[in-house]
Amino acid sequence: MDATKVITETVDRIRQRRTAPLVLELDLTEGLTDRPPTDPLGAVLSMRKTRLTDVLSGLKRARQDSRVKGLIVKIGTNPLGLAMVQELRQAVVRFRAAGKLTVVFAETFGEFGAGTVPYYLASAFERVYLQPSGDVGLTGVSLEQRFVRGALGKLGVEYELGQRHEYKTAANMFTQDHMTEPHRESVARIAESVTEQVVAGIAEGRGIDPAKVRELIDQGPFIGSEAVDAGLVDRLAYRDEVYDEVKRETGEESLLLYVARYHRGGLAKKLPHPGEQVVALIQASGAIRLGRSGRSPLGGGGAVGADTISAALRAARRDDHVKAVVFRVDSPGGSYVASDTIWREVVLLRKAGKPVVVSMGDLAASGGYFISMAADVIIAQPGTLTGSIGVFGGKPVIGELLDKIGVTSETVSEGANAAMFSPSHGFSEAQWARVNAWLDRIYDDFVGKVAEGRGLTRDRAHELARGRVWTGSDARAGGLVDEIGGLEDALELARKRAGLAADAPVRSYPKLHPLERLRPPESSEDRSAALARVRLEAWGPLAQLAGELGLSPYGPLILPGTWTIR
């Protein structure tokens, strides 16, 4: 009898899990990742990291699932980029429009600190709950630029750098001690554009007049009770109280399930069958470099290798099952030559008759824009930072520093310019002329390809270029971006362009089984050539500090410092 009872209870429990109402859950305490694992170590390290694509796909499926009654999201302190937040907001708004309950809970939106972007995400939900001890750090948008010219001068270091053109401000942190007028103009417009987006989103989500939201930003930050009185938060409550309330509304028998687990549970129905036509999703996340993609085993940002991404694009072009490509770009740029290599593969994809739709993440600027501009359609979020169509280059001159610390050097060379890139001395007049010729060649090529890819006159392309960084909304107004939207919109458009069904499967490309990952590629045409490597020379957890110090090794088409708006 006891064994029978155990079996019966087990069967009932399994049946309940298959039929009970579901409340989906998303914990953003550790943030999200917008890049797939590209090597075995990366797959292991990211096993417990929630992927943005899984969340978006899970919420899209849940909109049509009658079992799913609602969504609870916990917002933590790990910052998310503005474009990623807008991607999540869009998914939540669509989920909410399907008649599902949406609830967000935070212990605090900034503990004695800024919390504008996290609160902006929360405002998309039907209900916003805050722990009684928490605050709402709605304080607005601040973009800070540090200048190190004075400090370097004291050390005896000078920079000889050229830039194209006045808005390409990457060199300014080394050559100036303040913002130039074009620099300030560009940054001020970014702050203004982002503020417009945040105000509009909060106003719509909370049902508050936009002018009132602007006033509240100037009055912030808010203690929890003040945030309730201002209409920014619905109620102060602890986690258990929030979950108990949701349980009462959705039914005591309802079950909690993480969105990513829910998504994986539906994959079996969506996997492409042999011979089925698919949309390939290829992701380029990180700084752009020559050679293979890489990532430090110590953490930090990865690198977009031209060989790796080109191999993936090439394989998609040659795969008869791939009918369209969505190219997800989240990159501040890097090497000009590497960017040009990837650009060429995008051009060849289009020539092969396969539509290419670019979906921009938080950043798709400089080299990140270079690899995007040849696509059939470019889709960005309003807060994506893009453009920065320009170039800079030069070197530090540390001869005086070496003298100060008692270091001497001697050079033996054959050729008038053999040592021109040595930091021990400055450029000669003839060498500086060569540097400027190089900068002019890169800028002219960049602007020419922008004009060709975007259907602009060269004069108009130059007007939009000059190194200026734009938000996605401003880039769309200028013609550098075609549509405002996210990855889900890009996939839908790619299916339409390819004449595929609305539910045609999407494949992260190239999808390799374990044996393909283990064996070396037979040639550069082999799909397994599109694998990343673990690189010990990467900055790892010091990547952000390296960016702050201007120590990027990636090349002339890159944004300076850190440009994620959080």
Side-chain angles (χ1 to χ4, degrees):
M1 289 293 293
D2 290 343
T4 302
K5 183 179 179 181
V6 169
I7 293 172
T8 301
E9 290 178 348
T10 301
V11 170
D12 288 342
R13 200 159 46 242
I14 293 173
R15 183 182 295 114
Q16 182 189 23
R17 294 193 67 85
R18 294 176 63 105
T19 59
L22 294 176
V23 175
L24 299 184
E25 201 176 6
L26 176 60
D27 188 346
L28 296 176
T29 303
E30 297 300 321
L32 292 176
T33 180
D34 193 16
R35 65 183 68 183
T38 52
D39 58 80
L41 180 59
V44 172
L45 294 177
S46 65
M47 283 178 65
R48 297 183 63 84
K49 189 82 169 179
T50 304
R51 289 180 55 191
L52 175 65
T53 52
D54 292 346
V55 173
L56 299 178
S57 298
L59 291 179
K60 180 181 180 181
R61 175 185 163 221
R63 298 201 303 256
Q64 310 299 325
D65 189 344
S66 60
R67 283 188 68 199
V68 177
K69 304 302 180 184
L71 169 70
I72 300 179
V73 174
K74 179 188 176 185
I75 295 180
T77 57
N78 200 323
L80 300 175
L82 179 61
M84 183 179 286
V85 162
Q86 290 173 332
E87 195 108 36
L88 287 172
R89 287 185 97 260
Q90 184 178 11
V92 169
V93 167
R94 290 172 176 174
F95 183 86
R96 183 176 171 181
K100 314 283 187 178
L101 176 66
T102 57
V103 171
V104 65
F105 166 74
E107 290 151 341
T108 186
F109 295 104
E111 185 173 15
F112 200 72
T116 298
V117 174
Y119 179 75
Y120 171 53
L121 171 58
S123 67
F125 290 74
E126 181 180 343
R127 295 182 204 162
V128 180
Y129 293 90
L130 178 68
Q131 188 165 296
S133 53
D135 307 301
V136 176
L138 183 63
T139 56
V141 178
S142 177
L143 300 176
E144 183 177 353
Q145 172 72 63
R146 295 186 182 94
F147 299 90
V148 298
R149 178 186 178 184
L152 293 174
K154 291 178 180 179
L155 294 173
V157 178
E158 293 291 336
Y159 269 80
E160 293 187 355
L161 295 168
Q163 60 197 54
R164 299 293 184 275
H165 278 275
E166 69 272 27
Y167 293 102
K168 191 67 174 180
T169 58
N172 287 14
M173 68 180 294
F174 304 110
T175 61
Q176 304 289 333
D177 56 11
H178 65 282
M179 287 188 183
T180 62
E181 284 305 311
H183 191 168
R184 181 172 294 278
E185 177 192 350
S186 176
V187 174
R189 176 52 198 161
I190 291 171
E192 182 182 39
S193 178
V194 170
T195 301
E196 291 169 355
Q197 296 164 32
V198 169
V199 168
I202 294 174
E204 182 178 4
R206 300 300 300 167
I208 305 175
D209 184 77
K212 179 62 177 176
V213 175
R214 194 66 182 82
E215 291 178 13
L216 290 172
I217 288 175
D218 291 335
Q219 295 167 11
F222 297 90
I223 297 168
S225 58
E226 296 172 338
V228 174
D229 293 340
L232 298 172
V233 170
D234 292 293
R235 190 160 77 86
L236 302 181
Y238 288 97
R239 179 193 180 281
D240 60 291
E241 296 173 310
V242 174
Y243 277 66
D244 286 346
E245 186 172 310
V246 171
K247 194 102 172 164
R248 286 193 296 270
E249 289 191 46
T250 58
E252 292 298 326
E253 73 281 7
S254 62
L255 300 175
L256 287 172
L257 186 63
Y258 279 122
V259 176
R261 291 289 299 271
Y262 173 80
H263 165 68
R264 287 194 289 271
L267 278 180
K269 303 175 184 177
K270 294 187 174 183
L271 285 175
H273 303 296
E276 192 171 12
Q277 297 178 340
V278 302
V279 173
L281 174 61
I282 297 174
Q283 294 180 265
S285 183
I288 300 170
R289 67 190 298 167
L290 289 167
R292 299 282 291 280
S293 296
R295 178 193 46 76
S296 169
L298 304 176
V304 177
D307 289 354
T308 303
I309 299 300
S310 293
L313 294 167
R314 190 160 49 243
R317 171 162 51 93
R318 299 179 184 279
D319 190 336
D320 291 337
H321 300 139
V322 173
K323 298 302 177 184
V325 172
V326 170
F327 191 20
R328 177 75 170 183
V329 178
D330 190 4
S331 172
S335 163
Y336 159 64
V337 177
S339 300
D340 193 42
T341 299
I342 296 171
W343 170 87
R344 176 62 179 175
E345 291 297 337
V346 174
V347 170
L348 292 176
L349 257 173
R350 290 187 63 185
K351 286 185 176 180
K354 297 192 177 184
V356 182
V357 179
V358 161
S359 170
M360 292 180 166
D362 287 322
L363 283 171
S366 204
Y369 189 80
F370 200 113
I371 67 176
S372 304
M373 62 189 176
D376 291 275
V377 181
I378 297 176
I379 299 177
Q381 290 291 350
T384 297
L385 293 181
T386 188
S388 191
I389 301 163
V391 59
F392 77 98
K395 67 177 181 179
V397 180
I398 62 173
E400 184 181 339
L401 171 62
L402 295 178
D403 288 341
K404 285 183 177 181
I405 60 177
V407 175
T408 59
S409 62
E410 294 186 13
T411 302
V412 176
S413 58
E414 289 289 336
N417 296 323
M420 69 177 287
F421 296 110
S422 169
S424 298
H425 53 78
F427 291 118
S428 69
E429 186 175 340
Q431 290 167 352
W432 186 242
R434 295 311 304 154
V435 170
N436 279 287
W438 177 72
L439 295 173
D440 288 337
R441 186 276 303 260
I442 293 176
Y443 183 76
D444 289 345
D445 183 53
F446 201 164
V447 171
K449 285 172 177 171
V450 169
E452 178 186 357
R454 307 309 303 149
L456 303 169
T457 65
R458 191 179 185 86
D459 287 344
R460 177 56 177 160
H462 169 63
E463 184 181 344
L464 293 166
R466 296 186 290 167
R468 183 161 181 168
V469 181
W470 305 92
T471 60
S473 59
D474 286 350
R476 185 185 184 281
L480 296 178
V481 165
D482 295 298
E483 296 184 18
I484 295 298
L487 181 59
E488 185 179 328
D489 301 300
L491 293 171
E492 181 181 348
L493 182 57
R495 291 183 179 106
K496 287 182 179 177
R497 290 257 174 161
L500 298 176
D503 60 348
V506 176
R507 179 189 296 169
S508 290
Y509 203 86
K511 195 77 170 179
L512 303 173
H513 59 67
L515 289 180
E516 285 181 302
R517 288 182 172 273
L518 290 174
R519 69 169 179 80
E522 294 180 358
S523 73
S524 60
E525 303 283 323
D526 195 329
R527 287 194 310 161
S528 62
L531 286 178
R533 287 178 175 170
V534 177
R535 294 185 177 273
L536 296 176
E537 76 272 16
W539 284 104
L542 299 178
Q544 182 165 337
L545 175 61
E548 291 282 354
L549 296 176
L551 298 177
S552 172
Y554 294 111
L557 299 187
I558 196 160
L559 287 172
T562 52
W563 276 80
T564 301
I565 297 174
R566 293 167 173 163

